[in-house]
Amino acid sequence: MYDLADVLPDAEIDPGTNLLVAGPPLTGKREIAFDILASGAEHGDGSIVVTTKDSADKVLETFTGSVDPAVDPSVGVVDCVTKQRGIGTVNDDPRVKYASSPVDMTGIGIKLSEFLQEFYEDRGLTRNRVLLHSVSTLLMYSNLQTVFRFLHVFTGRIQSADAMGIYVIDSTAHDDQTMNTLKQLFDAVIELEENDGDDEPQIRTAGLSN
């Protein structure tokens, strides 16, 4: 089981579970997703981030800032941003693999599989948490049918690797039909809702075992 107690009290996740984190902007979706990753890293889990919004450098900065400084985490980033921006020449290194753009879904899938295989076989990490940030960016570049097919394969990889998948989406950027279609792919959903005033956003969960 993947323990989420550091983030969501008493919540446990079965290996192979895919978890959607949904909500409006500025409700802390990204923070919760990185907290789930960091919590796992502090317990020895591998951490893989597929980023369609931020560069690998920014992702690594956010991730390491979330993890206890005493921990040396096993982390990999699939960067779908930097090559598209065309800033200099970039090559894969032990912590970062580059896809050409958020449209390059075949490339993204290959890079993810390489990290999962490397973590599992070379590093002996049988528990891995994978974050895709964000589904909304994929939908900016491709239609729903294409993204659905990609996520169907992506979630299947997570399932077969006994990993845990975390996916972030801006629920207000898409219509109800799109959200309902995508939710079919996930085993559990964390929904963040805005509160009036300065209160913390409300968190609703579905499909999580206690």
Side-chain angles (χ1 to χ4, degrees):
M1 301 289 280
Y2 287 89
D3 189 354
L4 300 189
D6 293 347
V7 183
L8 298 169
D10 302 323
E12 290 186 329
I13 292 265
D14 289 321
T17 294
N18 289 285
L19 172 65
L20 182 66
V21 181
L26 306 177
T27 49
K29 301 182 298 299
R30 186 173 184 269
E31 289 79 2
I32 279 190
F34 273 98
D35 284 348
I36 292 171
L37 270 195
S39 170
E42 290 168 5
H43 292 95
D45 295 357
S47 305
I48 301 169
V49 182
V50 177
T51 174
T52 61
K53 288 191 78 169
D54 300 318
S55 68
D57 288 345
K58 186 171 182 182
V59 167
L60 288 168
E61 182 182 337
T62 301
F63 175 71
T64 53
S66 305
V67 178
D68 185 326
V71 174
D72 182 18
S74 293
V75 58
V77 179
V78 180
D79 180 333
C80 310
V81 176
T82 301
K83 278 193 174 181
Q84 185 187 36
R85 290 177 179 166
I87 306 169
T89 304
V90 291
N91 297 301
D92 291 0
D93 64 46
R95 297 181 96 183
V96 184
K97 298 181 188 295
Y98 294 92
S100 60
S101 76
V103 180
D104 180 20
M105 295 183 187
T106 301
I108 295 169
I110 290 170
K111 301 297 184 182
L112 170 67
S113 294
E114 288 175 356
F115 267 131
L116 283 171
Q117 184 174 359
E118 178 188 323
F119 278 28
Y120 199 91
E121 295 182 3
D122 299 343
R123 304 193 196 185
L125 293 165
T126 56
R127 296 163 53 86
N128 296 287
R129 304 187 184 204
V130 180
L131 167 60
L132 172 56
H133 185 267
S134 101
V135 175
S136 294
T137 310
L138 294 178
L139 287 163
M140 284 171 53
Y141 288 96
S142 302
N143 62 37
L144 175 60
Q145 185 178 13
T146 301
V147 173
F148 185 92
R149 282 201 305 265
F150 167 71
L151 290 174
H152 186 267
V153 174
F154 195 110
T155 54
R157 280 201 180 96
I158 298 300
Q159 195 170 12
S160 62
D162 282 340
M164 180 175 73
I166 308 131
Y167 308 76
V168 176
I169 190 166
D170 177 359
S171 56
T172 58
H174 316 291
D175 60 32
D176 289 345
Q177 183 179 353
T178 297
M179 290 299 299
N180 291 333
T181 299
L182 291 173
K183 281 180 181 178
Q184 299 172 48
L185 294 164
F186 302 100
D187 306 295
V189 181
I190 297 176
E191 292 198 60
L192 290 90
E193 298 175 346
E194 289 177 300
N195 265 351
D196 294 332
D198 297 325
D199 294 335
E200 290 289 312
Q202 291 183 322
I203 299 175
R204 293 192 299 119
T205 61
L208 292 177
S209 58
N210 294 318

Coordinates of all heavy atoms in Angstrom, one line a residue, residues 18 47-51 76-80 92 97-99 104-120 128-132 150-151 153-161 163-165 167:
N18 N -4.3 4.9 -9.9 CA -4.2 6.2 -10.6 C -5.1 7.2 -9.9 O -6.3 7.0 -9.9 CB -4.5 6.1 -12.1 CG -3.4 5.3 -12.8 OD1 -2.3 5.8 -13.0 ND2 -3.6 4.0 -13.1
S47 N 10.5 8.7 -7.3 CA 9.6 9.8 -7.8 C 9.9 10.2 -9.2 O 11.1 10.4 -9.6 CB 9.9 11.1 -6.9 OG 9.7 10.8 -5.5
I48 N 8.9 10.2 -10.0 CA 9.0 10.5 -11.4 C 8.0 11.6 -11.8 O 6.8 11.5 -11.4 CB 8.8 9.3 -12.4 CG1 9.8 8.2 -12.1 CG2 8.9 9.7 -13.9 CD1 9.5 6.9 -12.7
V49 N 8.5 12.7 -12.4 CA 7.5 13.8 -12.7 C 7.5 14.0 -14.2 O 8.6 14.1 -14.9 CB 8.0 15.1 -12.1 CG1 6.9 16.2 -12.4 CG2 8.1 15.0 -10.6
V50 N 6.4 13.9 -14.9 CA 6.2 14.2 -16.3 C 5.7 15.7 -16.3 O 4.5 15.9 -15.8 CB 5.3 13.3 -17.0 CG1 5.0 13.7 -18.4 CG2 5.8 11.9 -16.9
T51 N 6.5 16.6 -16.8 CA 6.1 18.0 -16.7 C 5.8 18.6 -18.1 O 6.6 18.5 -19.0 CB 7.1 18.9 -16.0 OG1 6.7 20.3 -16.1 CG2 8.5 18.7 -16.6
G76 N 13.3 11.3 -11.1 CA 13.5 11.5 -12.5 C 12.4 12.4 -13.1 O 11.3 12.5 -12.6
V77 N 12.8 13.2 -14.1 CA 11.8 14.2 -14.7 C 11.8 14.0 -16.2 O 12.8 13.9 -16.9 CB 12.3 15.7 -14.4 CG1 11.3 16.6 -15.1 CG2 12.4 15.9 -12.9
V78 N 10.6 13.8 -16.7 CA 10.4 13.8 -18.2 C 9.9 15.2 -18.5 O 8.8 15.7 -18.2 CB 9.3 12.8 -18.6 CG1 9.1 12.9 -20.1 CG2 9.7 11.4 -18.2
D79 N 10.8 16.0 -19.2 CA 10.6 17.4 -19.5 C 10.1 17.5 -20.9 O 10.7 17.2 -21.9 CB 12.0 18.1 -19.3 CG 11.9 19.6 -19.6 OD1 11.0 20.1 -20.4 OD2 12.7 20.4 -19.1
C80 N 8.8 18.0 -21.0 CA 8.2 18.2 -22.3 C 8.1 19.6 -22.8 O 7.4 20.0 -23.7 CB 6.7 17.6 -22.2 SG 6.5 16.0 -21.5
D92 N 19.6 14.2 -22.5 CA 19.2 13.4 -21.3 C 20.4 13.3 -20.4 O 21.5 13.2 -20.8 CB 18.7 12.0 -21.8 CG 17.4 12.1 -22.5 OD1 16.9 13.2 -22.7 OD2 16.9 11.0 -22.9
K97 N 15.0 13.4 -18.7 CA 14.9 12.9 -20.0 C 13.9 13.9 -20.7 O 13.0 14.4 -20.1 CB 14.3 11.5 -20.1 CG 15.2 10.5 -19.4 CD 14.6 9.1 -19.5 CE 15.3 8.0 -18.7 NZ 16.7 7.8 -19.2
Y98 N 14.2 14.2 -22.0 CA 13.5 15.3 -22.7 C 12.6 14.7 -23.8 O 13.0 13.9 -24.6 CB 14.4 16.3 -23.3 CG 15.2 17.1 -22.3 CD1 16.5 16.6 -21.9 CD2 14.7 18.2 -21.7 CE1 17.2 17.3 -20.9 CE2 15.4 19.0 -20.8 CZ 16.6 18.5 -20.4 OH 17.4 19.2 -19.4
A99 N 11.3 15.1 -23.8 CA 10.4 14.8 -24.9 C 10.3 16.1 -25.7 O 10.6 17.2 -25.2 CB 9.0 14.4 -24.4
D104 N 4.1 15.3 -28.2 CA 4.9 14.1 -28.4 C 4.6 13.0 -27.4 O 5.4 12.6 -26.6 CB 6.4 14.5 -28.4 CG 7.3 13.2 -28.7 OD1 6.8 12.3 -29.2 OD2 8.5 13.3 -28.3
M105 N 3.3 12.5 -27.5 CA 2.9 11.6 -26.5 C 3.6 10.2 -26.6 O 3.8 9.6 -25.6 CB 1.4 11.4 -26.6 CG 0.7 12.7 -26.3 SD -1.1 12.6 -26.3 CE -1.6 14.3 -26.1
T106 N 4.0 9.8 -27.8 CA 4.8 8.6 -27.9 C 6.1 8.7 -27.2 O 6.5 7.9 -26.4 CB 5.0 8.2 -29.4 OG1 3.7 8.1 -30.1 CG2 5.8 7.0 -29.5
G107 N 6.8 9.9 -27.4 CA 8.0 10.1 -26.8 C 7.9 10.2 -25.3 O 8.7 9.7 -24.5
I108 N 6.8 10.8 -24.8 CA 6.6 10.9 -23.3 C 6.5 9.5 -22.7 O 7.1 9.2 -21.7 CB 5.3 11.8 -23.0 CG1 5.5 13.2 -23.5 CG2 5.0 11.7 -21.6 CD1 4.2 14.0 -23.5
G109 N 5.7 8.7 -23.4 CA 5.5 7.3 -22.9 C 6.8 6.5 -22.9 O 7.0 5.8 -21.9
I110 N 7.6 6.7 -23.9 CA 8.9 6.0 -23.9 C 9.8 6.4 -22.8 O 10.4 5.6 -22.1 CB 9.6 6.2 -25.3 CG1 8.8 5.5 -26.4 CG2 11.0 5.7 -25.3 CD1 9.3 5.8 -27.8
K111 N 9.9 7.7 -22.6 CA 10.8 8.3 -21.5 C 10.3 7.8 -20.1 O 11.1 7.5 -19.3 CB 10.8 9.8 -21.6 CG 11.4 10.4 -22.9 CD 12.8 10.0 -23.2 CE 13.3 10.7 -24.4 NZ 14.7 10.3 -24.7
L112 N 8.9 7.8 -19.9 CA 8.4 7.3 -18.7 C 8.8 5.8 -18.5 O 9.2 5.5 -17.4 CB 6.9 7.5 -18.7 CG 6.2 6.8 -17.5 CD1 6.5 7.4 -16.2 CD2 4.7 6.8 -17.7
S113 N 8.6 5.0 -19.5 CA 8.9 3.6 -19.4 C 10.4 3.4 -19.1 O 10.8 2.5 -18.3 CB 8.5 2.9 -20.7 OG 7.1 2.9 -20.9
E114 N 11.3 4.2 -19.7 CA 12.7 4.1 -19.4 C 13.0 4.4 -17.9 O 13.8 3.6 -17.3 CB 13.5 5.1 -20.3 CG 13.5 4.7 -21.7 CD 14.2 5.7 -22.6 OE1 14.6 6.8 -22.1 OE2 14.4 5.5 -23.8
F115 N 12.4 5.4 -17.4 CA 12.6 5.7 -16.0 C 12.0 4.6 -15.1 O 12.7 4.1 -14.1 CB 11.9 7.0 -15.6 CG 12.8 8.2 -15.7 CD1 12.4 9.4 -16.3 CD2 14.1 8.2 -15.1 CE1 13.2 10.5 -16.4 CE2 14.9 9.3 -15.1 CZ 14.5 10.5 -15.8
L116 N 10.8 4.1 -15.4 CA 10.2 3.0 -14.5 C 11.1 1.8 -14.6 O 11.4 1.1 -13.5 CB 8.8 2.7 -15.0 CG 7.7 3.7 -14.6 CD1 6.4 3.4 -15.4 CD2 7.5 3.7 -13.1
Q117 N 11.6 1.4 -15.8 CA 12.5 0.2 -15.9 C 13.8 0.4 -15.1 O 14.2 -0.4 -14.4 CB 12.7 -0.1 -17.4 CG 13.6 -1.3 -17.6 CD 13.7 -1.7 -19.1 OE1 13.2 -1.0 -19.9 NE2 14.4 -2.7 -19.3
E118 N 14.3 1.6 -15.3 CA 15.6 1.9 -14.6 C 15.4 1.9 -13.1 O 16.3 1.3 -12.4 CB 16.1 3.3 -15.1 CG 17.4 3.8 -14.4 CD 17.7 5.2 -14.8 OE1 17.4 5.6 -15.9 OE2 18.2 5.9 -13.9
F119 N 14.4 2.5 -12.6 CA 14.2 2.6 -11.1 C 13.9 1.2 -10.6 O 14.5 0.8 -9.6 CB 12.9 3.4 -10.8 CG 13.2 4.9 -10.8 CD1 14.3 5.5 -11.5 CD2 12.5 5.8 -10.0 CE1 14.6 6.8 -11.5 CE2 12.7 7.1 -9.9 CZ 13.8 7.7 -10.7
Y120 N 13.1 0.4 -11.3 CA 12.8 -0.9 -10.8 C 13.9 -1.9 -11.0 O 14.3 -2.6 -10.0 CB 11.5 -1.4 -11.7 CG 10.8 -2.6 -11.0 CD1 9.7 -2.3 -10.1 CD2 11.1 -3.9 -11.2 CE1 9.0 -3.3 -9.5 CE2 10.5 -4.9 -10.6 CZ 9.4 -4.6 -9.7 OH 8.7 -5.6 -9.1
N128 N 7.1 3.2 -6.7 CA 7.4 4.5 -7.4 C 6.1 5.3 -7.5 O 5.0 4.8 -7.8 CB 8.0 4.2 -8.8 CG 9.3 3.5 -8.7 OD1 10.3 4.1 -8.4 ND2 9.3 2.2 -9.0
R129 N 6.3 6.6 -7.3 CA 5.1 7.6 -7.5 C 5.4 8.4 -8.7 O 6.5 9.0 -8.9 CB 5.0 8.4 -6.2 CG 4.8 7.6 -5.0 CD 4.5 8.4 -3.7 NE 4.4 7.6 -2.6 CZ 3.8 7.9 -1.4 NH1 3.1 9.1 -1.4 NH2 3.7 7.1 -0.4
V130 N 4.4 8.5 -9.6 CA 4.6 9.2 -10.9 C 3.6 10.4 -10.9 O 2.4 10.2 -10.8 CB 4.4 8.3 -12.1 CG1 4.6 9.0 -13.4 CG2 5.3 7.1 -12.0
L131 N 4.1 11.6 -11.2 CA 3.2 12.8 -11.3 C 3.2 13.3 -12.7 O 4.2 13.5 -13.3 CB 3.8 13.9 -10.3 CG 3.2 15.3 -10.5 CD1 1.7 15.3 -10.3 CD2 3.9 16.3 -9.6
L132 N 2.0 13.5 -13.2 CA 1.8 14.1 -14.5 C 1.2 15.5 -14.3 O 0.0 15.6 -13.8 CB 0.9 13.3 -15.4 CG 0.5 14.0 -16.7 CD1 1.7 14.4 -17.6 CD2 -0.4 13.1 -17.5
F150 N -3.9 8.5 -24.9 CA -2.6 8.6 -24.2 C -2.7 8.2 -22.8 O -1.9 7.4 -22.2 CB -2.1 10.0 -24.4 CG -0.9 10.3 -23.5 CD1 0.4 9.7 -23.8 CD2 -1.0 11.1 -22.4 CE1 1.5 10.0 -23.0 CE2 0.1 11.4 -21.6 CZ 1.3 10.8 -21.9
L151 N -3.7 8.8 -22.1 CA -3.8 8.5 -20.6 C -4.2 7.1 -20.4 O -3.9 6.5 -19.3 CB -4.8 9.5 -20.0 CG -4.4 11.0 -19.9 CD1 -5.5 11.9 -19.4 CD2 -3.2 11.1 -19.0
V153 N -3.2 4.5 -22.0 CA -1.9 3.8 -22.0 C -1.0 4.1 -20.8 O -0.4 3.2 -20.1 CB -1.1 4.1 -23.3 CG1 0.3 3.5 -23.3 CG2 -1.9 3.6 -24.5
F154 N -1.0 5.4 -20.5 CA -0.2 5.9 -19.3 C -0.6 5.2 -18.0 O 0.2 4.7 -17.3 CB -0.3 7.4 -19.3 CG 0.7 8.1 -18.4 CD1 1.7 8.9 -19.0 CD2 0.7 8.1 -17.0 CE1 2.6 9.6 -18.2 CE2 1.6 8.7 -16.3 CZ 2.6 9.5 -16.9
T155 N -1.9 5.3 -17.8 CA -2.5 4.7 -16.5 C -2.2 3.2 -16.5 O -2.0 2.6 -15.5 CB -4.0 5.0 -16.3 OG1 -4.7 4.6 -17.5 CG2 -4.2 6.5 -16.1
G156 N -2.3 2.6 -17.7 CA -2.0 1.1 -17.8 C -0.6 0.8 -17.4 O -0.3 -0.2 -16.7
R157 N 0.4 1.7 -17.8 CA 1.8 1.5 -17.4 C 1.9 1.6 -15.9 O 2.7 0.8 -15.3 CB 2.6 2.5 -18.1 CG 3.0 2.2 -19.5 CD 4.2 3.0 -20.0 NE 4.5 2.7 -21.4 CZ 4.2 3.4 -22.4 NH1 3.5 4.5 -22.2 NH2 4.5 3.1 -23.6
I158 N 1.3 2.5 -15.3 CA 1.3 2.7 -13.9 C 0.8 1.4 -13.2 O 1.4 0.9 -12.2 CB 0.5 3.9 -13.4 CG1 1.1 5.2 -14.0 CG2 0.4 4.0 -11.9 CD1 2.5 5.5 -13.7
Q159 N -0.3 1.0 -13.7 CA -0.9 -0.2 -13.1 C 0.0 -1.4 -13.2 O 0.2 -2.2 -12.2 CB -2.3 -0.5 -13.8 CG -3.2 -1.4 -13.1 CD -4.6 -1.5 -13.7 OE1 -4.8 -1.0 -14.8 NE2 -5.5 -2.1 -13.0
S160 N 0.6 -1.7 -14.4 CA 1.4 -2.9 -14.5 C 2.7 -2.8 -13.8 O 3.3 -3.8 -13.4 CB 1.7 -3.1 -16.0 OG 2.4 -2.0 -16.6
A161 N 3.1 -1.5 -13.4 CA 4.4 -1.4 -12.7 C 4.1 -1.3 -11.2 O 5.1 -1.1 -10.4 CB 5.1 -0.1 -13.1
A163 N 3.0 0.9 -9.6 CA 3.3 2.3 -9.1 C 2.1 3.0 -8.7 O 1.0 2.4 -8.6 CB 4.0 3.1 -10.3
M164 N 2.2 4.3 -8.3 CA 1.1 5.1 -8.1 C 1.1 6.4 -9.0 O 2.2 7.0 -9.0 CB 1.0 5.6 -6.6 CG -0.2 6.5 -6.3 SD -0.4 6.9 -4.6 CE 1.0 8.1 -4.4
G165 N 0.0 6.6 -9.7 CA 0.0 7.8 -10.6 C -0.8 8.9 -10.0 O -1.9 8.7 -9.4
Y167 N -2.2 12.8 -11.1 CA -2.5 13.6 -12.3 C -3.2 14.8 -11.9 O -4.2 14.8 -11.2 CB -3.3 12.8 -13.3 CG -2.8 11.4 -13.7 CD1 -3.0 10.4 -12.8 CD2 -2.2 11.2 -14.9 CE1 -2.5 9.1 -13.1 CE2 -1.7 9.9 -15.2 CZ -1.9 8.9 -14.3 OH -1.4 7.6 -14.6

